[in-house]
């Protein structure tokens, strides 16, 4: 399941999703998650640059973390402030002007959002999922994507959970039950 087989993608039918990476990490377990999120963010940033150059649409799928009167730009500003615990991750992954974003109210990127409509508009049938937390929001988004017949690619070095065990379990679930290709990010061409 966790392999290094090279996966060649077709840019026109593929999108990269960055899940909950614009995050202030203002919650009790943030230190546990940040320990894994920072190295994952570095890999995500490299993958994003490579896929963007290939013409793959980049979509930020982000929780609003209870800030119901803010928009995504406000969230970015809040998360990159010096006082934000998530500043290092958010600063590495600040969206470019041409990137897309979808704010979500719950764990799945599909629940009560326009993500499915956006993916249809872009002609996407394959999703590359990255972000935090691998065992919650990434997993729930992957579950909903699978139920909508999207093909899934999960770069295991671009996913972070609070523990290695939780991350491994989520990756195994996505690989075996959701038929995701779980591979190293450098293997995605």
């Amino acid at each position: 399941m966790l392999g290094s087989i090279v996966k060649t993608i077709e840019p026109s039918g593929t999108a990269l999703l960055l899940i909950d990476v614009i995050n202030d990490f203002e919650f009790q377990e943030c230190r546990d998650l940040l320990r894994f999120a920072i190295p994952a963010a570095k890999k995500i940033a490299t993958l994003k640059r490579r896929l963007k150059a290939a013409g793959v649409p980049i979509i930020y799928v982000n929780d609003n973390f209870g800030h119901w009167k803010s928009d995504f730009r406000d969230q970015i500003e809040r998360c990159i402030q010096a006082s934000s615990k998530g500043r290092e991750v958010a600063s590495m992954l600040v969206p470019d002007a041409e990137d897309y974003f979808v704010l979500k109210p719950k764990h799945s990127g599909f629940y009560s959002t326009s993500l499915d409509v956006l993916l249809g508009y872009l002609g996407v049938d394959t999703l590359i999922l990255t972000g935090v937390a691998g065992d919650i929001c990434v997993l729930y988004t992957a579950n909903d994507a699978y139920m909508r017949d999207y093909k899934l690619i999960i770069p295991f070095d671009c996913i972070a959970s609070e523990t290695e065990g939780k991350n491994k379990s989520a990756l195994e679930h996505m690989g075996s039950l959701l038929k995701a290709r779980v591979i190293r990010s450098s293997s995605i061409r």
Side-chain angles (χ1 to χ4, degrees):
M1 182 193 75
L2 299 180
S4 61
I5 297 170
V6 173
K7 174 66 179 171
T8 303
I9 61 167
E10 293 296 324
S12 61
T14 303
L16 174 65
L17 272 57
L18 287 78
I19 301 169
D20 287 343
V21 298
I22 306 302
N23 191 326
D24 59 16
F25 286 84
E26 292 295 331
F27 49 88
Q28 192 172 16
E29 304 84 6
C30 74
R31 288 181 191 215
D32 295 331
L33 184 54
L34 273 170
R35 182 169 66 116
F36 298 107
I38 292 168
K42 292 175 184 175
K43 295 288 187 177
I44 295 168
T46 299
L47 180 62
K48 177 188 170 189
R49 281 190 298 274
R50 204 170 69 245
L51 293 179
K52 182 180 279 279
V56 172
I58 310 301
I59 305 171
Y60 287 76
V61 180
N62 228 98
D63 199 311
N64 68 8
F65 303 105
H67 297 272
W68 291 100
K69 292 185 178 182
S70 68
D71 63 16
F72 192 53
R73 304 287 173 222
D74 292 338
Q75 183 155 326
I76 294 166
E77 290 304 315
R78 187 180 74 255
C79 293
I80 62 173
Q81 290 178 5
S83 61
S84 172
K85 293 175 186 172
R87 179 177 45 87
E88 188 173 356
V89 171
S91 295
M92 276 188 260
L93 297 169
V94 170
D96 298 319
E98 63 277 4
D99 294 341
Y100 298 91
F101 65 89
V102 172
L103 284 175
K104 62 185 182 69
K106 287 288 191 179
H107 306 357
S108 171
F110 289 93
Y111 179 75
S112 293
T113 74
S114 59
L115 181 58
D116 209 19
V117 175
L118 175 59
L119 295 172
Y121 170 78
L122 296 172
V124 169
D125 64 6
T126 302
L127 299 176
I128 302 169
L129 301 183
T130 66
V132 297
D135 61 326
I136 304 171
C137 296
V138 176
L139 177 61
Y140 288 20
T141 300
N143 282 326
D144 282 356
Y146 177 75
M147 288 190 296
R148 288 168 172 79
D149 295 321
Y150 289 100
K151 296 177 199 115
L152 297 171
I153 301 170
I154 313 294
F156 63 83
D157 52 345
C158 294
I159 304 292
S161 301
E162 291 173 14
T163 69
E164 288 180 18
K166 288 179 179 181
N167 212 51
K168 183 179 179 200
S169 293
L171 291 167
E172 287 174 353
H173 177 92
M174 290 184 275
S176 64
L177 299 176
L178 307 181
K179 298 175 180 57
R181 298 283 313 271
V182 181
I183 59 177
R184 184 176 305 281
S185 61
S186 61
S187 298
I188 301 172
R189 304 275 184 247

